[in-house]
Amino acid sequence: MSSSILDRLGAGTVLGAEGYVFELERRGYIKAGPFVPEVVLDYPDALRELHREFLRAGADVMVALTYYAHREKLRDVGREGDLEAMNRQAVQIAREVAREGGALVAGNVCNTWAYDPDDPATRETVRAMYAEQLGWAAEGGVDFVISETNDYLGEALIALEVIRDLGLPALVTLAPTQPGQTRDGFGYVEACRILAAEGADVVGLNCDRGPETMLPLVAGIREAVDCGVAVQPVPYRTTAAAPTMETLRPADGDRAFPVALDPFTCTRFEMAQFALQARDLGVDYVGICCGAGPHHVRAMAEALGHDVPASKYSPSMDLHPMFRADVAAKDAAFLHSWTAQA
Ligand SMILES: [Zn+2]
């Protein structure tokens, strides 16, 4: 297996798997609200296990869990002193598991909440945050860097500069929380075109939108750039009326984001269909973001034609007592009651 993301993109669709923060929150290792990945230092085995589950499900990339492991966020939870150890350990764990299955390792930075397009001084604050995080990632031996959930093109460009200064390939994606443009007023297609012109190896969108409302935006990006295109939606059934997971509302009217989104979750079959639709649009890097489970990733991998380690346990309904062709006569009555409507 090649150790270069560019070689792998040239060889076929690369499958990404993210959503570590949401999944580890569900498992009780990360606090919803701050969403700081304290699990990296506090329960490293829990993180190792989730990496391994995504790897077995067919993910081609282990993304170091340094999302929100930046100075601003660690200060919020009183752990600024753990910044370096948390970043270094996240990269080390991702590398360790990646080696078990020939996956690539990605360093990871995200929106900082420190950037203000109207305050030039914040540019240097953001640059320093990225430089320290990615400096540790580079020393840890990442193969490339993912800069993601960018609300501002301006902030994404700072990340891109830092990544390029380190000599690493860059995958830069925007968070499509608004109907058509970044918070600093660039259409998503135009913003991706600028990122590509500035040297990003892969551009695109991740998080916030589910497949149905994400794919139409990606088609325009694919047409506009010659570099790689990535799309990593959330596995939630967003709609024209509620195009992002933040706008989804349950019947009682309360906000579902971020910890009551379960009723909107896509099935593995919907995510498999998305993977094929994205590939057919010419997307090179197909993935999944917040809300992802290993079953989604495996279904996407198999849809893309990959037989992965977890495929050993993929569904075989022909062996189910009720769904098999030769249901025992004594059991046939069960099927009737399973099928009958109340
Ligand atoms: Zn996400």
Side-chain angles (χ1 to χ4, degrees):
M1 281 283 212
S2 165
S3 63
S4 150
I5 181 65
L6 299 177
D7 287 349
R8 291 209 188 185
L9 289 166
T13 312
V14 172
L15 181 61
E18 299 196 38
Y20 285 90
V21 169
F22 264 35
E23 180 59 22
L24 288 164
E25 188 279 331
R26 285 192 289 230
R27 296 182 186 192
Y29 296 108
I30 283 179
K31 183 181 279 295
F35 286 116
V36 175
E38 299 175 78
V39 60
V40 172
L41 292 177
D42 298 350
Y43 294 95
D45 282 345
L47 174 57
R48 212 170 266 123
E49 171 61 21
L50 182 55
H51 274 303
R52 197 168 283 130
E53 290 171 21
F54 282 155
L55 181 74
R56 293 185 69 256
D60 292 311
V61 176
M62 292 293 102
V63 183
L65 182 50
T66 54
Y67 192 95
Y68 278 173
H70 56 59
R71 197 168 283 282
E72 193 95 348
K73 274 285 183 178
L74 265 77
R75 197 180 291 141
D76 285 350
V77 295
R79 294 192 72 162
E80 211 176 339
D82 290 332
L83 181 68
E84 180 173 350
M86 194 177 289
N87 276 269
R88 287 192 186 277
Q89 181 141 310
V91 173
Q92 192 205 319
I93 290 172
R95 274 196 67 176
E96 188 186 309
V97 179
R99 270 197 294 267
E100 295 174 8
L104 297 180
V105 180
N108 185 240
V109 288
C110 60
N111 57 312
T112 63
W113 298 103
Y115 183 76
D116 179 350
D118 298 325
D119 179 0
T122 62
R123 295 180 54 81
E124 291 315 310
T125 306
V126 169
R127 186 186 310 276
M129 287 163 71
Y130 288 153
E132 65 183 353
Q133 274 195 285
L134 293 179
W136 295 320
E139 286 176 20
V142 298
D143 298 302
F144 70 106
V145 175
I146 296 175
S147 158
E148 63 178 345
T149 56
N150 287 292
D151 295 307
Y152 299 98
L153 173 64
E155 191 170 33
L157 287 167
I158 296 170
L160 177 58
E161 276 174 27
V162 173
I163 299 166
R164 285 176 58 80
D165 284 350
L166 289 165
L168 290 166
L171 184 160
V172 184
T173 46
L174 305 162
T177 53
Q178 304 202 108
Q181 57 180 222
T182 64
R183 295 248 161 228
D184 42 359
F186 294 86
Y188 293 125
V189 172
E190 180 59 12
C192 284
R193 204 196 316 259
I194 293 170
L195 286 163
E198 293 299 317
D201 299 283
V202 185
V203 299
L205 306 172
N206 85 292
C207 210
D208 300 294
R209 289 175 182 250
E212 190 175 319
T213 55
M214 183 81 104
L215 279 170
L217 295 179
V218 169
I221 294 170
R222 177 65 284 176
E223 285 170 18
V225 300
D226 295 325
C227 66
V229 171
V231 58
Q232 303 205 81
V234 295
Y236 296 114
R237 293 179 186 142
T238 55
T239 63
T244 63
M245 64 176 173
E246 290 86 352
T247 50
L248 285 169
R249 296 276 187 282
D252 64 9
D254 287 343
R255 186 185 294 276
F257 176 82
V259 288
L261 286 162
D262 310 52
F264 300 100
T265 305
C266 296
T267 65
R268 65 185 76 189
F269 306 104
E270 290 168 310
M271 292 312 297
Q273 185 193 23
F274 154 75
L276 292 178
Q277 289 172 319
R279 184 198 62 187
D280 293 347
L281 279 176
V283 173
D284 313 87
Y285 191 105
V286 175
I288 183 168
C289 206
C290 302
H295 66 307
H296 290 126
V297 180
R298 180 179 61 188
M300 294 166 73
E302 291 176 348
L304 293 170
H306 303 156
D307 186 38
V308 301
S311 294
K312 179 179 179 186
Y313 302 108
S314 286
S316 289
M317 289 307 153
D318 52 322
L319 296 178
H320 190 282
M322 279 298 118
F323 303 141
R324 61 195 303 157
D326 56 339
V327 180
K330 72 177 178 58
D331 296 330
F334 279 83
L335 194 56
H336 175 71
S337 57
W338 286 12
T339 307
Q341 300 290 310

